Amino acid sequence: MGKETKRLIANNKKARFDYFIEDTYEAGISLHGTEVKSLRMGKCSVKESFIRIENGEVYIYNMHISPYEKGNIFNKDPLRVKKLLLHKYEINKLAGQMAQKGYTIVPLEIYFKGELVKLSIGLAKGKKLYDKRQDIAKKDQRREAEKEFKVKNLY
């Protein structure tokens, strides 16, 4: 098997800002042909989406895949609920941690791995307001340090 490349389609930056990501999983997605063609063109958004476990299966809600232009009657609803493909032991582990510790599952990014569409999901715990402020402060400090470093290197 050759080296599989990972080509990013969409990223959820807000998830890393709003949550502490404890663990990540790679899930497949059950899609139709026109949805895959639309993804190849990069027309997807995971910003507003969320993930639920129902009857031992994992589903993603509100993941928007724009209709394929040449798809006409074969196009599906852009916001339809899509099934995520995970191993049974992974689903059980996620369900147990969600019930026990108050975790949630958030989509992080969607990408092509070889020919397959994959979704990176994270087991996450919500951040409080002061945690977000700390993140912003760290980011500002890093930005200032990089700026000073650039200025020093110019002279």
Side-chain angles (χ1 to χ4, degrees), residues 44-113:
C44 177
S45 172
V46 288
K47 283 185 182 114
E48 305 295 321
S49 58
F50 59 96
I51 297 171
R52 282 197 187 141
I53 299 176
E54 297 169 0
N55 303 326
E57 294 184 339
V58 184
Y59 296 96
I60 185 165
Y61 294 82
N62 287 354
M63 184 173 117
H64 188 275
I65 298 177
S66 298
Y68 183 57
E69 286 129 25
K70 300 179 181 100
N72 58 43
I73 61 166
F74 299 106
N75 279 331
K76 301 291 179 199
D77 177 26
L79 290 174
R80 79 178 178 87
V81 178
K82 294 157 195 73
K83 184 178 175 184
L84 297 183
L85 309 171
L86 284 162
H87 290 282
K88 194 56 118 182
Y89 69 89
E90 290 175 322
I91 296 171
N92 292 338
K93 186 177 175 184
L94 285 169
Q97 287 183 319
M98 280 180 69
Q100 226 176 30
K101 305 174 188 170
Y103 284 99
T104 186
I105 307 171
V106 292
L108 300 174
E109 58 187 18
I110 185 166
Y111 54 91
F112 280 106
K113 186 175 180 182

Side-chain angles (χ1 to χ4, degrees), residues 9-155:
I9 301 168
N11 196 356
N12 189 358
K13 292 179 185 175
K14 192 83 171 143
R16 295 197 191 276
F17 182 74
D18 287 340
Y19 299 97
F20 291 114
I21 308 298
E22 303 283 323
D23 202 2
T24 58
Y25 295 88
E26 183 179 75
I29 311 174
S30 180
L31 296 171
H32 293 278
T34 54
E35 291 174 322
V36 176
K37 288 181 179 185
S38 189
L39 286 174
R40 288 201 188 285
M41 297 170 74
K43 297 188 175 180
C44 177
S45 172
V46 288
K47 283 185 182 114
E48 305 295 321
S49 58
F50 59 96
I51 297 171
R52 282 197 187 141
I53 299 176
E54 297 169 0
N55 303 326
E57 294 184 339
V58 184
Y59 296 96
I60 185 165
Y61 294 82
N62 287 354
M63 184 173 117
H64 188 275
I65 298 177
S66 298
Y68 183 57
E69 286 129 25
K70 300 179 181 100
N72 58 43
I73 61 166
F74 299 106
N75 279 331
K76 301 291 179 199
D77 177 26
L79 290 174
R80 79 178 178 87
V81 178
K82 294 157 195 73
K83 184 178 175 184
L84 297 183
L85 309 171
L86 284 162
H87 290 282
K88 194 56 118 182
Y89 69 89
E90 290 175 322
I91 296 171
N92 292 338
K93 186 177 175 184
L94 285 169
Q97 287 183 319
M98 280 180 69
Q100 226 176 30
K101 305 174 188 170
Y103 284 99
T104 186
I105 307 171
V106 292
L108 300 174
E109 58 187 18
I110 185 166
Y111 54 91
F112 280 106
K113 186 175 180 182
E115 292 295 311
L116 302 173
V117 178
K118 297 288 183 177
L119 179 72
S120 175
I121 60 175
L123 184 66
K125 195 169 224 170
K127 285 185 181 178
K128 303 282 188 260
L129 184 60
Y130 58 84
D131 292 326
K132 292 179 189 178
R133 286 185 187 142
Q134 286 175 344
D135 284 354
I136 292 169
K138 284 179 188 173
K139 197 184 289 183
D140 287 344
Q141 283 178 336
R142 194 185 77 238
R143 202 175 287 136
E144 285 296 320
E146 287 173 359
K147 196 176 184 182
E148 286 177 27
F149 183 71
K150 268 185 181 176
V151 170
K152 284 180 185 175
N153 283 345
L154 290 175
Y155 298 107

